[in-house]
Every structure is written in structure tokens, then in C-alpha cells.
Short mmCIF file of all heavy atoms in Angstrom, two decimals:
data_model
loop_
_atom_site.label_atom_id
_atom_site.label_comp_id
_atom_site.label_asym_id
_atom_site.label_seq_id
_atom_site.Cartn_x
_atom_site.Cartn_y
_atom_site.Cartn_z
N THR A 1263 5.89 -4.29 -4.43
CA THR A 1263 5.81 -5.57 -3.66
C THR A 1263 5.13 -6.61 -4.39
O THR A 1263 4.34 -6.41 -5.33
CB THR A 1263 5.01 -5.24 -2.38
OG1 THR A 1263 3.55 -5.28 -2.58
CG2 THR A 1263 5.35 -3.96 -1.67
N GLY A 1264 5.44 -7.87 -4.03
CA GLY A 1264 4.83 -9.07 -4.65
C GLY A 1264 3.72 -9.59 -3.79
O GLY A 1264 3.60 -9.09 -2.61
N ASP A 1265 2.98 -10.45 -4.23
CA ASP A 1265 1.78 -11.10 -3.42
C ASP A 1265 2.36 -12.06 -2.43
O ASP A 1265 1.49 -12.58 -1.68
CB ASP A 1265 0.76 -11.60 -4.34
CG ASP A 1265 1.19 -12.87 -5.10
OD1 ASP A 1265 2.25 -13.40 -4.84
OD2 ASP A 1265 0.41 -13.28 -6.00
N GLY A 1266 3.67 -12.39 -2.38
CA GLY A 1266 4.18 -13.32 -1.40
C GLY A 1266 3.58 -14.69 -1.57
O GLY A 1266 3.36 -15.42 -0.60
N SER A 1267 3.35 -15.05 -2.78
CA SER A 1267 2.77 -16.39 -3.18
C SER A 1267 1.32 -16.61 -2.68
O SER A 1267 0.84 -17.73 -2.67
CB SER A 1267 3.62 -17.50 -2.59
OG SER A 1267 4.98 -17.47 -3.08
N ASP A 1268 0.70 -15.57 -2.27
CA ASP A 1268 -0.69 -15.64 -1.87
C ASP A 1268 -1.50 -14.44 -2.52
O ASP A 1268 -1.42 -13.32 -2.11
CB ASP A 1268 -0.79 -15.45 -0.33
CG ASP A 1268 -2.23 -15.75 0.12
OD1 ASP A 1268 -3.16 -15.73 -0.68
OD2 ASP A 1268 -2.45 -15.90 1.41
N GLY A 1269 -2.20 -14.75 -3.62
CA GLY A 1269 -2.91 -13.78 -4.41
C GLY A 1269 -3.95 -13.08 -3.66
O GLY A 1269 -4.31 -11.89 -4.01
N ARG A 1270 -4.38 -13.63 -2.53
CA ARG A 1270 -5.36 -12.87 -1.67
C ARG A 1270 -4.78 -11.57 -1.15
O ARG A 1270 -5.57 -10.58 -0.91
CB ARG A 1270 -5.81 -13.74 -0.52
CG ARG A 1270 -6.63 -14.98 -1.08
CD ARG A 1270 -6.92 -15.86 0.13
NE ARG A 1270 -5.70 -16.50 0.71
CZ ARG A 1270 -5.64 -17.32 1.67
NH1 ARG A 1270 -6.75 -17.77 2.30
NH2 ARG A 1270 -4.47 -17.81 2.19
N ASN A 1271 -3.49 -11.57 -0.95
CA ASN A 1271 -2.94 -10.27 -0.51
C ASN A 1271 -3.10 -9.07 -1.41
O ASN A 1271 -3.26 -7.92 -0.94
CB ASN A 1271 -1.43 -10.50 -0.19
CG ASN A 1271 -1.02 -11.39 0.89
OD1 ASN A 1271 -1.74 -11.33 1.92
ND2 ASN A 1271 0.06 -12.14 0.77
N SER A 1272 -3.10 -9.39 -2.67
CA SER A 1272 -3.25 -8.30 -3.67
C SER A 1272 -4.59 -7.59 -3.62
O SER A 1272 -4.58 -6.34 -3.97
CB SER A 1272 -3.06 -8.90 -5.06
OG SER A 1272 -1.82 -9.56 -5.25
N GLN A 1273 -5.55 -8.27 -3.21
CA GLN A 1273 -6.93 -7.59 -3.05
C GLN A 1273 -7.22 -7.20 -1.53
O GLN A 1273 -8.31 -6.64 -1.29
CB GLN A 1273 -8.03 -8.49 -3.59
CG GLN A 1273 -7.89 -8.76 -5.10
CD GLN A 1273 -8.19 -7.47 -5.91
OE1 GLN A 1273 -8.89 -6.61 -5.46
NE2 GLN A 1273 -7.48 -7.31 -7.00
N ASP A 1274 -6.38 -7.51 -0.67
CA ASP A 1274 -6.58 -7.23 0.74
C ASP A 1274 -5.87 -5.86 1.05
O ASP A 1274 -4.67 -5.66 1.07
CB ASP A 1274 -5.91 -8.33 1.56
CG ASP A 1274 -6.15 -8.04 3.06
OD1 ASP A 1274 -6.59 -7.01 3.50
OD2 ASP A 1274 -5.63 -8.93 3.85
N HIS A 1275 -6.77 -4.90 1.31
CA HIS A 1275 -6.33 -3.49 1.52
C HIS A 1275 -5.56 -3.35 2.83
O HIS A 1275 -4.79 -2.40 3.06
CB HIS A 1275 -7.41 -2.52 1.51
CG HIS A 1275 -8.12 -2.38 0.16
ND1 HIS A 1275 -7.41 -1.83 -0.92
CD2 HIS A 1275 -9.28 -2.84 -0.30
CE1 HIS A 1275 -8.23 -1.84 -2.02
NE2 HIS A 1275 -9.36 -2.48 -1.68
N ALA A 1276 -5.64 -4.43 3.66
CA ALA A 1276 -4.80 -4.40 4.94
C ALA A 1276 -3.48 -4.96 4.81
O ALA A 1276 -2.67 -4.89 5.73
CB ALA A 1276 -5.61 -5.17 6.08
N SER A 1277 -3.18 -5.51 3.57
CA SER A 1277 -1.90 -6.18 3.32
C SER A 1277 -1.08 -5.27 2.49
O SER A 1277 -1.59 -4.61 1.59
CB SER A 1277 -2.17 -7.55 2.64
OG SER A 1277 -0.91 -8.09 2.20
N LEU A 1278 0.24 -5.27 2.66
CA LEU A 1278 1.19 -4.55 1.79
C LEU A 1278 1.64 -5.33 0.55
O LEU A 1278 2.37 -4.85 -0.19
CB LEU A 1278 2.33 -4.02 2.58
CG LEU A 1278 2.15 -3.03 3.70
CD1 LEU A 1278 3.36 -2.54 4.37
CD2 LEU A 1278 1.26 -1.89 3.28
N GLY A 1279 1.15 -6.56 0.55
CA GLY A 1279 1.55 -7.53 -0.68
C GLY A 1279 0.72 -7.20 -1.82
O GLY A 1279 -0.48 -6.92 -1.77
N GLY A 1280 1.39 -7.40 -3.03
CA GLY A 1280 0.70 -7.22 -4.23
C GLY A 1280 0.28 -5.73 -4.53
O GLY A 1280 -0.77 -5.46 -5.10
N LYS A 1281 1.21 -4.82 -4.09
CA LYS A 1281 0.89 -3.39 -4.23
C LYS A 1281 2.04 -2.61 -4.75
O LYS A 1281 3.16 -3.14 -4.84
CB LYS A 1281 0.54 -2.85 -2.86
CG LYS A 1281 -0.38 -3.60 -1.97
CD LYS A 1281 -1.87 -3.56 -2.53
CE LYS A 1281 -2.87 -4.07 -1.46
NZ LYS A 1281 -2.73 -5.47 -1.08
N ILE A 1282 1.79 -1.36 -5.11
CA ILE A 1282 2.76 -0.37 -5.23
C ILE A 1282 2.48 0.68 -4.11
O ILE A 1282 1.41 1.12 -3.93
CB ILE A 1282 2.75 0.37 -6.63
CG1 ILE A 1282 3.14 -0.56 -7.77
CG2 ILE A 1282 3.73 1.48 -6.68
CD1 ILE A 1282 3.02 -0.08 -9.07
N LEU A 1283 3.57 0.91 -3.30
CA LEU A 1283 3.44 1.75 -2.17
C LEU A 1283 4.10 3.14 -2.55
O LEU A 1283 5.00 3.22 -3.30
CB LEU A 1283 4.22 1.17 -0.98
CG LEU A 1283 3.94 -0.23 -0.67
CD1 LEU A 1283 4.71 -0.71 0.61
CD2 LEU A 1283 2.44 -0.51 -0.39
N ARG A 1284 3.59 4.24 -1.94
CA ARG A 1284 4.13 5.59 -2.07
C ARG A 1284 4.25 6.09 -0.67
O ARG A 1284 3.28 6.34 0.02
CB ARG A 1284 3.15 6.35 -2.97
CG ARG A 1284 3.56 7.84 -3.15
CD ARG A 1284 2.53 8.55 -4.05
NE ARG A 1284 2.84 9.94 -4.22
CZ ARG A 1284 2.18 10.91 -3.48
NH1 ARG A 1284 1.33 10.58 -2.55
NH2 ARG A 1284 2.52 12.15 -3.71
N VAL A 1285 5.45 6.40 -0.27
CA VAL A 1285 5.81 6.83 1.08
C VAL A 1285 6.69 8.11 0.95
O VAL A 1285 7.37 8.33 -0.09
CB VAL A 1285 6.40 5.76 1.86
CG1 VAL A 1285 5.44 4.57 2.09
CG2 VAL A 1285 7.77 5.30 1.36
N THR A 1286 6.81 8.71 2.10
CA THR A 1286 7.73 9.87 2.23
C THR A 1286 9.11 9.28 2.41
O THR A 1286 9.28 8.12 2.64
CB THR A 1286 7.45 10.67 3.48
OG1 THR A 1286 7.64 9.95 4.58
CG2 THR A 1286 5.94 11.23 3.46
N PRO A 1287 10.18 10.10 2.29
CA PRO A 1287 11.58 9.62 2.56
C PRO A 1287 11.74 8.98 3.86
O PRO A 1287 12.71 8.23 4.09
CB PRO A 1287 12.38 10.75 2.30
CG PRO A 1287 11.64 11.74 1.35
CD PRO A 1287 10.21 11.49 1.73
N ASP A 1288 10.85 9.30 4.85
CA ASP A 1288 10.91 8.65 6.17
C ASP A 1288 9.97 7.43 6.28
O ASP A 1288 9.96 6.81 7.39
CB ASP A 1288 10.49 9.69 7.28
CG ASP A 1288 11.49 10.77 7.42
OD1 ASP A 1288 12.65 10.51 7.21
OD2 ASP A 1288 11.02 11.92 7.62
N GLY A 1289 9.32 7.07 5.21
CA GLY A 1289 8.58 5.88 5.24
C GLY A 1289 7.06 5.99 5.66
O GLY A 1289 6.31 5.07 5.81
N LYS A 1290 6.63 7.24 5.86
CA LYS A 1290 5.20 7.49 6.13
C LYS A 1290 4.33 7.50 4.93
O LYS A 1290 4.83 7.80 3.81
CB LYS A 1290 5.10 8.78 6.88
CG LYS A 1290 6.02 8.95 8.18
CD LYS A 1290 5.75 8.00 9.22
CE LYS A 1290 6.70 8.14 10.46
NZ LYS A 1290 6.36 7.07 11.46
N PRO A 1291 3.06 7.20 5.07
CA PRO A 1291 2.08 7.38 3.91
C PRO A 1291 2.31 8.77 3.35
O PRO A 1291 2.30 9.78 4.10
CB PRO A 1291 0.77 7.21 4.58
CG PRO A 1291 1.07 6.20 5.67
CD PRO A 1291 2.38 6.67 6.31
N ALA A 1292 2.49 8.84 2.06
CA ALA A 1292 2.76 10.05 1.40
C ALA A 1292 1.42 10.92 1.24
O ALA A 1292 0.46 10.45 1.08
CB ALA A 1292 3.35 9.92 0.02
N PRO A 1293 1.63 12.27 1.42
CA PRO A 1293 0.40 13.14 1.18
C PRO A 1293 -0.13 12.90 -0.17
O PRO A 1293 0.57 12.80 -1.12
CB PRO A 1293 1.05 14.56 1.30
CG PRO A 1293 2.22 14.42 2.13
CD PRO A 1293 2.78 13.06 1.79
N GLY A 1294 -1.53 12.76 -0.34
CA GLY A 1294 -2.16 12.64 -1.59
C GLY A 1294 -2.43 11.18 -1.95
O GLY A 1294 -2.97 10.84 -2.98
N ASN A 1295 -2.08 10.30 -1.04
CA ASN A 1295 -2.34 8.93 -1.30
C ASN A 1295 -3.90 8.68 -1.26
O ASN A 1295 -4.62 9.41 -0.66
CB ASN A 1295 -1.76 8.05 -0.21
CG ASN A 1295 -0.18 7.65 -0.55
OD1 ASN A 1295 0.27 8.15 -1.47
ND2 ASN A 1295 0.34 6.88 0.29
N PRO A 1296 -4.36 7.64 -1.97
CA PRO A 1296 -5.78 7.37 -2.06
C PRO A 1296 -6.41 7.30 -0.58
O PRO A 1296 -7.51 7.85 -0.35
CB PRO A 1296 -5.94 6.10 -2.78
CG PRO A 1296 -4.81 6.07 -3.69
CD PRO A 1296 -3.56 6.74 -2.93
N ASP A 1297 -5.74 6.61 0.30
CA ASP A 1297 -6.10 6.58 1.72
C ASP A 1297 -4.93 7.31 2.48
O ASP A 1297 -3.92 6.77 2.50
CB ASP A 1297 -6.33 5.15 2.20
CG ASP A 1297 -6.70 4.93 3.69
OD1 ASP A 1297 -6.59 6.04 4.44
OD2 ASP A 1297 -7.11 3.96 4.14
N PRO A 1298 -5.28 8.43 3.04
CA PRO A 1298 -4.14 9.23 3.67
C PRO A 1298 -3.50 8.40 4.81
O PRO A 1298 -2.37 8.77 5.22
CB PRO A 1298 -4.84 10.43 4.13
CG PRO A 1298 -6.28 10.08 4.26
CD PRO A 1298 -6.53 9.13 3.17
N ARG A 1299 -4.18 7.40 5.27
CA ARG A 1299 -3.56 6.60 6.42
C ARG A 1299 -2.68 5.42 5.93
O ARG A 1299 -2.05 4.76 6.73
CB ARG A 1299 -4.65 6.08 7.32
CG ARG A 1299 -5.58 7.16 7.88
CD ARG A 1299 -6.87 6.59 8.43
NE ARG A 1299 -7.62 5.94 7.35
CZ ARG A 1299 -8.74 5.23 7.52
NH1 ARG A 1299 -9.28 5.15 8.71
NH2 ARG A 1299 -9.38 4.74 6.49
N SER A 1300 -2.68 5.22 4.64
CA SER A 1300 -2.13 4.04 4.08
C SER A 1300 -1.00 4.33 3.16
O SER A 1300 -1.16 5.31 2.35
CB SER A 1300 -3.17 3.10 3.36
OG SER A 1300 -2.58 2.07 2.63
N PRO A 1301 0.09 3.55 3.08
CA PRO A 1301 1.05 3.75 1.96
C PRO A 1301 0.70 3.20 0.63
O PRO A 1301 1.42 3.41 -0.33
CB PRO A 1301 2.33 2.97 2.59
CG PRO A 1301 1.70 1.81 3.38
CD PRO A 1301 0.46 2.49 3.91
N VAL A 1302 -0.44 2.55 0.50
CA VAL A 1302 -0.82 1.93 -0.74
C VAL A 1302 -1.15 2.96 -1.77
O VAL A 1302 -2.11 3.82 -1.52
CB VAL A 1302 -2.01 0.90 -0.51
CG1 VAL A 1302 -2.47 0.33 -1.85
CG2 VAL A 1302 -1.51 -0.17 0.47
N TRP A 1303 -0.57 2.85 -2.99
CA TRP A 1303 -0.77 3.72 -4.08
C TRP A 1303 -1.69 3.05 -5.09
O TRP A 1303 -2.72 3.50 -5.61
CB TRP A 1303 0.49 4.10 -4.75
CG TRP A 1303 0.47 5.12 -5.85
CD1 TRP A 1303 0.88 4.96 -7.10
CD2 TRP A 1303 0.04 6.49 -5.64
NE1 TRP A 1303 0.83 6.15 -7.84
CE2 TRP A 1303 0.29 7.14 -7.01
CE3 TRP A 1303 -0.42 7.25 -4.65
CZ2 TRP A 1303 -0.07 8.39 -7.29
CZ3 TRP A 1303 -0.80 8.58 -4.98
CH2 TRP A 1303 -0.59 9.09 -6.26
N THR A 1304 -1.43 1.72 -5.40
CA THR A 1304 -2.14 0.85 -6.25
C THR A 1304 -2.20 -0.59 -5.74
O THR A 1304 -1.35 -0.96 -4.99
CB THR A 1304 -1.75 0.91 -7.72
OG1 THR A 1304 -0.35 0.36 -7.80
CG2 THR A 1304 -1.85 2.19 -8.35
#
């Protein structure tokens, strides 16, 4: 994902912007993610 023209998104853990996400084939947060409740990988 990109930051959507707002760099604050990249450091906002509540935002999906400015991230690499890791999800299951159904779109759920993948097992082993840093936060098991979140799709955010980096």
C-alpha cells in the first residue's frame, strides 16, 4: 500500500496506508503477523 499522499499514515498503526500487509487467502490477518489482530506486516 501507499501512504495515500499523507505520510502520517505510514507511522499510524491504525492505518493500512504506507504498509505491507500479510493476509490469508480470505483476507484475514495471517497467523504469525507481528500483531495477530492486524494485517500489517511492515
Side-chain angles (χ1 to χ4, degrees):
T1263 76
D1265 66 10
S1267 301
D1268 186 347
R1270 293 172 297 181
N1271 287 327
S1272 303
Q1273 294 295 326
D1274 181 354
H1275 294 290
S1277 172
L1278 298 183
K1281 310 292 194 301
I1282 295 176
L1283 311 180
R1284 178 176 175 265
V1285 298
T1286 68
D1288 292 325
K1290 306 298 183 183
N1295 279 3
D1297 179 346
R1299 301 163 298 177
S1300 170
V1302 173
W1303 188 240
T1304 57

